[in-house]
Amino acid sequence: MTSTSDPAAAPGPAAEPSYELPPGWPTTEAEAAAAQERLRGSVLVGGDLPAPGGGTGAVVGVDVAYDDERGVVAAAAVALDPRGLAVVGEATAVGRVTFPYVPGLLAFREIPAVLDALATLDRPGHRPDVVVCDGYGLAHPRRFGLASHLGVLTGLPTIGVAKNPFTFHHDAPGPRRGQWSPLLDGAEEVGRALRTQDGVKPVFVSVGHRVSLADACAYALHLARDYRLPETTRRADALCRRALAGA
DNA sequence: GCGACAG
DNA sequence: ATCTTGTCGC
């Protein structure tokens, strides 16, 4: 991956996001792992995200629900006003399940439906400032989890917020909201265990694309103003479940 | 070989 | 992820 902490190297005017599923989308585990190895170098760490609550665009949350019996998948994308966290846009997409759940390959199960939902949500002139994903970004065996993959495909800044530490290790963060501890793969900090509410189990934040780890945590904390999970995730989770039930 | 394993 | 009863608390 590349660092863009140097302002001179920062991306220029926001490019148009792409919501196209790339040609040759993997259908086997071997192809999927190879695709991750091929794309991992495209992840950008750092950038110039506006302060949480200070941006002009929306903060978008995405999530996916499944009915494996029927083979149906439903994705939701919800846009929030970064100030008051009010919902300003919603979109869903329903499709067929095309990939099993394999730890480390979650992106191949979730991304096709997520791209459809984002394409429906997006309105020209109203680009998301950032997309918050339910899962990991760089905290991944090959440093290319769902959030990083979605970021590289769309070009949008992304953040991963997961509910479990996957295979990584961490010490318990302090008991107060805002306290955190490094999420470690050996000696490497791949994310942070972040306490978003006093005395409540932490969430696990990692860089997706075009954000720094510190900014990713600041956003996660801002969005988790009232509950353990970011409001983006809560809204998207509720919406994709509704979409699945109605499909 | 065995256990662990985002959603 | 999804399956599920009761239970504690505002």
Side-chain angles (χ1 to χ4, degrees):
Chain A
M1 115 273 286
T2 304
S3 173
T4 56
S5 52
D6 174 11
E16 198 79 2
S18 167
Y19 301 112
E20 299 291 317
L21 195 65
W25 185 251
T27 58
T28 68
E29 293 187 27
E31 289 173 359
Q36 291 178 333
E37 294 290 358
R38 181 163 46 79
L39 291 170
R40 56 183 288 183
S42 301
V43 175
L44 303 177
V45 180
D48 50 5
L49 224 55
T56 56
V59 179
V60 172
V62 293
D63 196 16
V64 182
Y66 302 91
D67 182 337
D68 284 311
E69 297 296 296
R70 293 187 295 155
V72 175
V73 53
V78 178
L80 301 188
D81 160 46
R83 300 277 184 186
L85 305 187
V87 175
V88 296
E90 291 184 329
T92 62
V94 174
R96 304 287 301 178
V97 172
T98 59
F99 208 93
Y101 171 66
V102 180
L105 301 179
L106 180 64
F108 299 92
R109 183 167 167 83
E110 305 222 327
I111 279 185
V114 167
L115 287 174
D116 286 346
L118 282 173
T120 303
L121 178 77
D122 197 307
R123 291 292 173 279
H126 293 270
R127 296 283 91 87
D129 278 343
V130 61
V131 179
V132 179
C133 299
D134 198 357
Y136 281 127
L138 291 181
H140 179 274
R142 288 173 288 278
R143 302 295 181 269
F144 199 68
L146 166 66
S148 295
H149 204 148
L150 184 67
V152 166
L153 291 187
T154 61
L156 293 170
T158 58
I159 295 169
V161 180
K163 298 180 280 296
N164 299 292
F166 203 7
T167 61
F168 306 110
H169 296 156
H170 65 96
D171 293 327
R176 315 301 289 182
R177 168 177 159 87
Q179 295 190 290
W180 58 271
S181 58
L183 184 64
L184 300 171
D185 185 354
E188 180 182 357
E189 183 184 38
V190 295
R192 288 176 183 171
L194 174 66
R195 192 91 64 187
T196 54
Q197 296 290 325
D198 291 354
V200 171
K201 180 181 169 196
V203 298
F204 302 89
V205 181
S206 59
V207 168
H209 184 55
R210 294 180 53 193
V211 301
S212 68
L213 183 54
D215 284 349
C217 289
Y219 264 81
L221 193 61
H222 175 74
L223 293 168
R225 180 192 61 190
D226 301 328
Y227 298 93
R228 176 191 176 225
L229 295 178
E231 205 57 27
T232 39
T233 299
R234 301 183 69 255
R235 296 287 188 172
D237 178 74
L239 182 56
C240 69
R241 290 189 200 219
R242 264 183 281 146
L244 183 66

